[in-house]
Amino acid sequence: MASAAVQNKTPRKVLKKSTRDSLIAYSFIAPNFIGFCVFTLVPMVFAIALAFCAWDGRHAIEFVGLKNFVKLFTTDKIFQAALKNTIVYVIGTVPLTLACSLAMAVLLNQNVKLRNFFRTVAFFPYVASLVAVAAVWNMIFNPSMGPINMILNQFFGVAVENLPRWAAGKDTAMITVILFSVWKNMGYYMVIYLAGLQGCNPDLNEAAELDGANRWQQFWHITLPQLRPTTFFVVIMLTISGFKVYDQMYMITQGGPGTATMTLVYYIYNVAFVNTPKYGYASAISMVLFVLVLIVTILQFRGSKGEN
């Protein structure tokens, strides 16, 4: 009788202990989950709904259907320029940053003198204040007094009237921002590639060297294939950050001259918070940006699966 009573009580104790453990686990998750819902999930859902409405924050929300999207692709020349500039920026920064970071990682993975010092120097621009480095960059590439143009004039014989205007010129502003972004971010992705290189199998290189393969052949046929997962991660991160670029444009060119460096995120900021707010229209631009990033990411994932 006593043993039967103990057996009947045991499942209840186990159930109570399981419930208590679940409540403890949920209590740890709850603060972060509530914060995610309040500050991320709910605003995202509201932004999707707002993309089909017109609202200035003061009057009642008005449903307009697809009117915002039709205006974007038909009459809004600034949006079309921003979309083009964003794609150009991504095409310019992703391969350049990828190549520079990989080259530095391969070089600084060798047993060279002052290797840790050069790694720190290469990584420093990424952690440095954007305001400070942007101010220095604008000073270096100043059209009239910058050292870059002085070097071009004094040592390469470029006439004063032919010197590039860099951030102040419509034809060179985007190039200036791309170079700045590559210089600032390549140290971070160099560290990621260094971690990937640590996981490569050195025995394969030794075997290839015994078979007569030179350094380039070893890198191209052995090292680079082993870095494919790292490269895929770097490309995804660079692509997403490229489509979301805002701070570089704001600090160096303010979207100008004209709309030469106006990007989608910068245009969203202008529409939503500058002059008369148009939150519905800004949400529509955000949805276009979201769909664009989603399509590019899906294509990259499918391409990676195909290669594998």
Side-chain angles (χ1 to χ4, degrees):
M1 294 290 292
S3 61
V6 171
Q7 289 179 359
N8 291 333
K9 291 182 179 180
T10 301
R12 292 182 181 179
K13 291 182 178 180
V14 173
L15 182 61
K16 289 182 179 180
K17 185 176 184 302
S18 176
T19 304
R20 184 172 63 252
D21 292 343
S22 299
L23 290 175
I24 292 174
Y26 286 129
S27 67
F28 281 106
I29 298 173
N32 188 44
F33 180 74
I34 293 172
F36 167 76
C37 291
V38 172
F39 297 106
T40 303
L41 183 61
V42 173
M44 284 178 58
V45 174
F46 183 65
I48 294 173
L50 200 59
F52 301 93
C53 303
W55 187 44
D56 60 0
R58 294 176 296 177
H59 301 89
I61 299 176
E62 179 186 357
F63 180 77
V64 295
L66 297 176
K67 184 178 178 180
N68 289 332
F69 296 96
V70 173
K71 182 180 177 181
L72 284 176
F73 292 99
T74 55
T75 61
D76 194 341
K77 301 299 181 184
I78 300 179
F79 165 78
Q80 295 169 17
L83 178 61
K84 176 185 175 183
N85 292 337
T86 303
I87 296 174
V88 169
Y89 177 84
V90 171
I91 294 175
T93 54
V94 171
L96 273 178
T97 307
L98 184 71
C100 292
S101 58
L102 178 57
M104 286 197 305
V106 172
L107 179 62
L108 296 178
N109 194 49
Q110 309 297 321
N111 189 18
V112 296
K113 292 183 179 180
L114 301 176
R115 181 176 64 178
N116 292 334
F117 170 76
F118 288 117
R119 286 181 178 180
T120 304
V121 170
F123 187 70
F124 177 76
Y126 180 77
V127 297
S129 169
L130 176 65
V131 177
V133 295
V136 173
W137 192 268
N138 278 334
M139 181 184 66
I140 293 174
F141 285 86
N142 187 285
S144 57
M145 298 179 295
I148 299 297
N149 275 5
M150 288 183 179
I151 292 173
L152 292 175
N153 178 252
Q154 296 293 329
F155 296 98
F156 293 92
V158 180
V160 176
E161 60 272 13
N162 295 329
L163 288 173
R165 294 183 55 78
W166 300 113
K170 287 186 177 181
D171 298 330
T172 55
M174 182 59 73
I175 297 175
T176 305
V177 176
I178 288 174
L179 293 176
F180 173 79
S181 299
V182 172
W183 170 76
K184 191 176 191 311
N185 296 323
M186 63 183 181
Y188 170 73
Y189 296 103
M190 175 202 71
V191 173
I192 295 176
Y193 268 119
L194 282 172
L197 287 170
Q198 303 304 316
C200 292
N201 188 356
D203 296 337
L204 298 177
N205 293 80
E206 293 178 3
E209 187 175 0
L210 292 175
D211 290 338
N214 56 35
R215 288 293 182 89
W216 170 252
Q217 290 172 331
Q218 292 177 39
F219 170 76
W220 186 258
H221 295 288
I222 297 176
T223 304
L224 199 58
Q226 293 183 84
L227 290 174
R228 186 172 294 164
T230 305
T231 301
F232 175 69
F233 171 77
V234 170
V235 170
I236 291 291
M237 296 302 295
L238 280 172
T239 303
I240 294 175
S241 63
F243 278 110
K244 298 193 303 179
V245 63
Y246 166 79
D247 44 3
Q248 289 95 327
M249 305 299 178
Y250 181 82
M251 294 306 306
I252 297 178
T253 62
Q254 290 77 49
T259 58
T261 57
M262 179 70 68
T263 57
L264 287 176
V265 176
Y266 197 93
Y267 188 45
I268 292 170
Y269 166 78
N270 284 344
V271 171
F273 302 108
V274 179
N275 299 324
T276 303
K278 299 178 182 177
Y279 298 120
Y281 197 63
S283 298
I285 304 172
S286 301
M287 292 305 103
V288 173
L289 176 62
F290 170 76
V291 172
L292 187 62
V293 174
L294 181 64
I295 291 173
V296 172
T297 305
I298 291 174
L299 291 176
Q300 288 175 333
F301 270 98
R302 288 188 175 181
S304 176
K305 290 182 179 178
E307 291 178 0
N308 293 334

